[in-house]
Amino acid sequence: MTPFLSPLGPSALRDAGIPAPWSFGMADRVRFGEIDALNHVNNVAYLRWYETLRVNYLNEYGIYTLAGENPKFVVKSVGLDYKAEVKRDTSYINVTRTVSMRNTSWRMEYATFVDGKITTTGDCVAVLLNQDNTKRSLPDALRQTFVTRDGAEQL
Amino acid sequence: MTPFLSPLGPSALRDAGIPAPWSFGMADRVRFGEIDALNHVNNVAYLRWYETLRVNYLNEYGIYTLAGENPKFVVKSVGLDYKAEVKRDTSYINVTRTVSMRNTSWRMEYATFVDGKITTTGDCVAVLLNQDNTKRSLPDALRQTFVTRDGAEQL
Amino acid sequence: MTPFLSPLGPSALRDAGIPAPWSFGMADRVRFGEIDALNHVNNVAYLRWYETLRVNYLNEYGIYTLAGENPKFVVKSVGLDYKAEVKRDTSYINVTRTVSMRNTSWRMEYATFVDGKITTTGDCVAVLLNQDNTKRSLPDALRQTFVTRDGAEQL
Amino acid sequence: MTPFLSPLGPSALRDAGIPAPWSFGMADRVRFGEIDALNHVNNVAYLRWYETLRVNYLNEYGIYTLAGENPKFVVKSVGLDYKAEVKRDTSYINVTRTVSMRNTSWRMEYATFVDGKITTTGDCVAVLLNQDNTKRSLPDALRQTFVTRDGAEQL
């Protein structure tokens, strides 16, 4: 088996020094193309990282299946808070969890850890749509997954 | 003269149907590489657009010069709110203005207009640093520029 | 009318000091996000530029229409030759033309001009496919467009 | 230890079904942001992949150290040949090796393997420079590394 980049669950995250309640993560190393003229990871790169993380998370939790037939997921809003710069070749772990749900949307939080310290945090609100862009209520089994695995709160 | 992509000031923005107090903009057309698998402009592309817009704005307002010797500008936080999707080849105008200032930082707002309607909004807090990453107070002439041109408020 | 980034035809290119037989171009300015850790335009950015240029060219020449029902265009190969680095905020003009055609494919050449000098050249072979990825012969009207506008050679 | 994405040497590559003389590789999975409007990996993404691969390769082979004081590496030319499209979430292995050297430059070849089959190949010529952009001859120890590890030919 080739060592593909694997998602990290709660116990792997704890082993890496990342505290509860973070429940899902991906480790990687900063790439040359993510560095900008200021010689640190460009602001925009984090949003790309968190997109990749979110898609991996949704895949791994089975959300694409639990969402019913032909679901469409869109991002309603995102926020990023940059606390410390990250340099070339640095190893990091990006983590996420779903913190709350409404009728058709849910809120995820993100963080980037370098050597056990948070360098950037973020959040997003994602919405479940039908293919015609009308909203779809989150199915119960999908809600239950967010509650059981992440301790998400129903608002 | 070749028709380079020129910044739009207040009167050009009003001509294009964009209301006050938006004071600076750039028009462009959606590029193939900005479209994702959902056939609309990818969420991340907006953050890249607003980065380009912010750098053009800072250049045009002379902020790099007004900031004193060897300034360093970093983004402290960003937020994006996606209101409507934008499709391939669509023409748009991205606008920005500085709304408020603190001692070493200032807050900018962004919007994307398509056919006179806002499809996405955003904001960021930028910080002025010295090259050693210590904070630097915004010089008076820099503050005055934000006040005069954008009506920015001192907090 | 807002000053969108407009394609440049032969006479606009000649006015800008770009020699025949270049027949189509787009002017722009280097963006912050295109600069890498070496403080010049990143190698990869050129391929993105030429993709944008190619799509604009195909649109402007009416190739998407001339290609028949539901065409699919894919790139078979690309090459890039970097002759001089380009720095932040530099104004440039990217140009292209179709130089030759085969049964189902055609070859385009690219160049980036800065102050009348070429800094990078490139080329690509593009292929016309049906939606099921089988090849489709280039329709006569499409060939004629490449011959008339660009002097393309039938191989 | 967290499972960072590790480089693959010759024996790991052979285990993954990748034949000699490929000597260095990185496995990964296609990311959402690499998919374009045609629902396959965008042409440009491969050039980004090979950039990341090249930097990892140079790091791992110690080339940045063997190149002498303050070396500067630039890419002189690249080529890409797309043989088959790659879809979302696909696992792949990118491989590279140095095939030949001249006085101040060397030539690398790239390939992307999916399920043991090549989907894209590429190559690049890289040049060793001093910080003032004058050329620097490849030091003997650097040449020896390319010969010993990759069987590179001196031209």
Side-chain angles (χ1 to χ4, degrees):
Chain A
M1 257 305 293
T2 52
F4 291 116
L5 200 56
S6 308
L8 307 173
S11 77
L13 291 175
R14 296 314 157 257
D15 288 350
I18 294 176
W22 295 110
S23 52
F24 183 89
M26 299 285 290
D28 207 339
R29 194 168 284 132
V30 173
R31 297 164 184 214
F32 180 83
E34 294 164 342
I35 299 296
D36 67 19
L38 297 176
N39 267 300
H40 59 205
V41 175
N42 182 258
N43 302 315
V44 181
Y46 294 88
L47 195 51
R48 188 62 79 199
W49 287 359
Y50 294 153
E51 175 188 75
T52 301
L53 182 71
R54 183 177 63 249
V55 171
N56 283 330
Y57 167 93
L58 296 175
N59 261 330
E60 187 81 6
Y61 277 37
I63 303 302
Y64 290 109
T65 307
L66 294 171
E69 269 188 70
N70 292 318
K72 187 172 173 181
F73 296 96
V74 298
V75 170
K76 174 63 186 123
S77 63
V78 296
L80 294 169
D81 191 8
Y82 306 99
K83 297 171 189 304
E85 62 183 359
V86 177
K87 298 284 193 174
R88 188 169 163 183
D89 291 329
T90 302
S91 295
Y92 63 86
I93 300 178
N94 287 330
V95 296
T96 190
R97 62 184 286 262
T98 294
V99 292
S100 60
M101 304 171 282
R102 292 187 181 276
N103 182 33
T104 65
S105 68
W106 71 101
R107 189 167 170 277
M108 299 175 72
E109 290 184 350
Y110 307 117
T112 298
F113 280 84
V114 174
D115 291 336
K117 282 189 184 149
I118 287 180
T119 65
T120 299
T121 58
D123 69 279
C124 93
V125 174
V127 185
L128 177 58
L129 301 177
N130 298 303
Q131 288 295 326
D132 63 359
N133 285 352
T134 54
K135 292 184 178 182
R136 183 190 293 187
S137 294
L138 302 181
D140 284 345
L142 189 158
R143 287 178 199 280
Q144 199 51 52
T145 298
F146 285 152
V147 171
T148 306
R149 296 193 60 161
D150 287 4
E153 187 185 5
Q154 178 65 49
L155 297 182
Chain B
M1 257 304 295
T2 50
F4 291 116
L5 199 56
S6 308
L8 308 173
S11 77
L13 291 175
R14 296 313 157 258
D15 289 350
I18 293 177
W22 295 111
S23 52
F24 183 89
M26 299 285 291
D28 208 338
R29 194 168 284 130
V30 173
R31 297 165 184 214
F32 180 83
E34 294 164 343
I35 299 296
D36 68 17
L38 297 176
N39 268 299
H40 59 206
V41 175
N42 182 258
N43 302 314
V44 181
Y46 294 88
L47 194 51
R48 187 63 79 198
W49 287 359
Y50 294 154
E51 175 188 74
T52 301
L53 182 71
R54 182 177 64 247
V55 172
N56 283 330
Y57 167 94
L58 295 175
N59 262 330
E60 187 80 5
Y61 278 36
I63 302 301
Y64 290 109
T65 307
L66 295 171
E69 269 188 71
N70 292 318
K72 187 171 172 180
F73 295 97
V74 297
V75 171
K76 174 62 186 125
S77 63
V78 297
L80 294 168
D81 190 9
Y82 306 99
K83 296 172 190 303
E85 62 182 358
V86 176
K87 299 285 194 174
R88 189 170 163 182
D89 291 329
T90 301
S91 295
Y92 62 86
I93 300 177
N94 287 330
V95 295
T96 189
R97 62 183 287 261
T98 294
V99 292
S100 60
M101 304 170 283
R102 294 187 180 275
N103 183 32
T104 65
S105 68
W106 70 100
R107 187 166 172 277
M108 300 176 73
E109 289 184 350
Y110 307 117
T112 298
F113 280 84
V114 174
D115 291 335
K117 284 192 184 146
I118 288 180
T119 64
T120 299
T121 58
D123 68 280
C124 94
V125 174
V127 185
L128 177 57
L129 301 178
N130 298 303
Q131 288 296 325
D132 63 359
N133 285 352
T134 54
K135 292 184 178 182
R136 182 190 293 187
S137 294
L138 302 181
D140 284 344
L142 189 158
R143 287 178 199 280
Q144 199 51 51
T145 299
F146 286 152
V147 171
T148 307
R149 296 192 61 161
D150 287 4
E153 186 186 5
Q154 178 65 49
L155 298 183
Chain C
M1 258 304 296
T2 51
F4 290 117
L5 199 55
S6 308
L8 308 173
S11 77
L13 291 176
R14 296 313 158 258
D15 288 350
I18 294 178
W22 294 111
S23 52
F24 183 90
M26 299 285 290
D28 207 339
R29 194 167 284 132
V30 172
R31 299 167 182 211
F32 180 83
E34 295 165 341
I35 299 296
D36 67 18
L38 298 176
N39 266 299
H40 59 205
V41 175
N42 181 258
N43 303 313
V44 181
Y46 295 89
L47 195 52
R48 187 62 79 198
W49 288 359
Y50 295 155
E51 175 187 76
T52 301
L53 182 71
R54 182 177 64 247
V55 171
N56 282 330
Y57 168 94
L58 295 175
N59 262 330
E60 187 81 6
Y61 277 37
I63 303 301
Y64 290 108
T65 307
L66 295 171
E69 268 187 71
N70 292 318
K72 186 172 173 182
F73 295 97
V74 298
V75 171
K76 173 65 186 123
S77 63
V78 297
L80 295 167
D81 190 10
Y82 307 100
K83 295 171 190 304
E85 62 182 1
V86 177
K87 299 285 194 173
R88 187 168 162 183
D89 291 329
T90 302
S91 294
Y92 62 86
I93 299 178
N94 287 330
V95 295
T96 190
R97 61 184 286 261
T98 294
V99 293
S100 60
M101 304 171 282
R102 292 187 181 276
N103 183 33
T104 65
S105 68
W106 71 99
R107 188 168 170 277
M108 300 176 73
E109 290 185 350
Y110 307 117
T112 297
F113 280 83
V114 174
D115 291 335
K117 284 191 184 146
I118 288 180
T119 64
T120 299
T121 58
D123 69 279
C124 94
V125 174
V127 186
L128 176 57
L129 301 178
N130 298 304
Q131 287 296 325
D132 64 359
N133 285 353
T134 53
K135 292 184 178 182
R136 182 190 295 186
S137 294
L138 303 181
D140 283 345
L142 189 159
R143 286 179 200 281
Q144 198 51 50
T145 299
F146 285 152
V147 171
T148 306
R149 297 193 60 162
D150 287 5
E153 186 185 6
Q154 178 65 48
L155 298 182
Chain D
M1 259 303 295
T2 50
F4 290 117
L5 200 55
S6 309
L8 307 173
S11 77
L13 291 175
R14 297 311 158 259
D15 288 351
I18 294 178
W22 294 111
S23 52
F24 183 88
M26 299 284 290
D28 208 339
R29 193 168 284 133
V30 173
R31 297 166 184 214
F32 180 83
E34 294 164 342
I35 299 296
D36 67 18
L38 298 176
N39 266 300
H40 58 205
V41 175
N42 182 258
N43 302 314
V44 181
Y46 294 88
L47 195 52
R48 188 62 79 197
W49 287 359
Y50 295 154
E51 175 187 76
T52 301
L53 182 71
R54 182 176 64 248
V55 171
N56 282 331
Y57 167 94
L58 295 175
N59 262 331
E60 187 82 6
Y61 277 37
I63 302 302
Y64 290 108
T65 307
L66 295 170
E69 268 188 71
N70 292 318
K72 187 172 173 181
F73 295 97
V74 298
V75 170
K76 174 64 187 123
S77 63
V78 296
L80 294 168
D81 190 9
Y82 306 100
K83 296 170 189 304
E85 62 183 359
V86 176
K87 299 285 194 175
R88 188 168 163 183
D89 290 329
T90 303
S91 296
Y92 63 86
I93 300 177
N94 286 331
V95 296
T96 190
R97 61 184 286 262
T98 294
V99 293
S100 60
M101 304 170 282
R102 292 187 182 275
N103 183 33
T104 65
S105 69
W106 71 100
R107 188 168 170 277
M108 299 175 73
E109 289 184 350
Y110 307 117
T112 297
F113 281 83
V114 174
D115 291 335
K117 283 190 184 148
I118 287 180
T119 64
T120 299
T121 58
D123 68 280
C124 94
V125 173
V127 185
L128 177 58
L129 301 177
N130 298 304
Q131 288 296 325
D132 64 359
N133 284 354
T134 54
K135 291 184 177 182
R136 181 189 295 186
S137 293
L138 303 181
D140 284 345
L142 189 158
R143 286 179 200 281
Q144 198 52 49
T145 299
F146 286 152
V147 171
T148 307
R149 296 194 61 162
D150 287 4
E153 187 185 4
Q154 179 66 48
L155 297 182

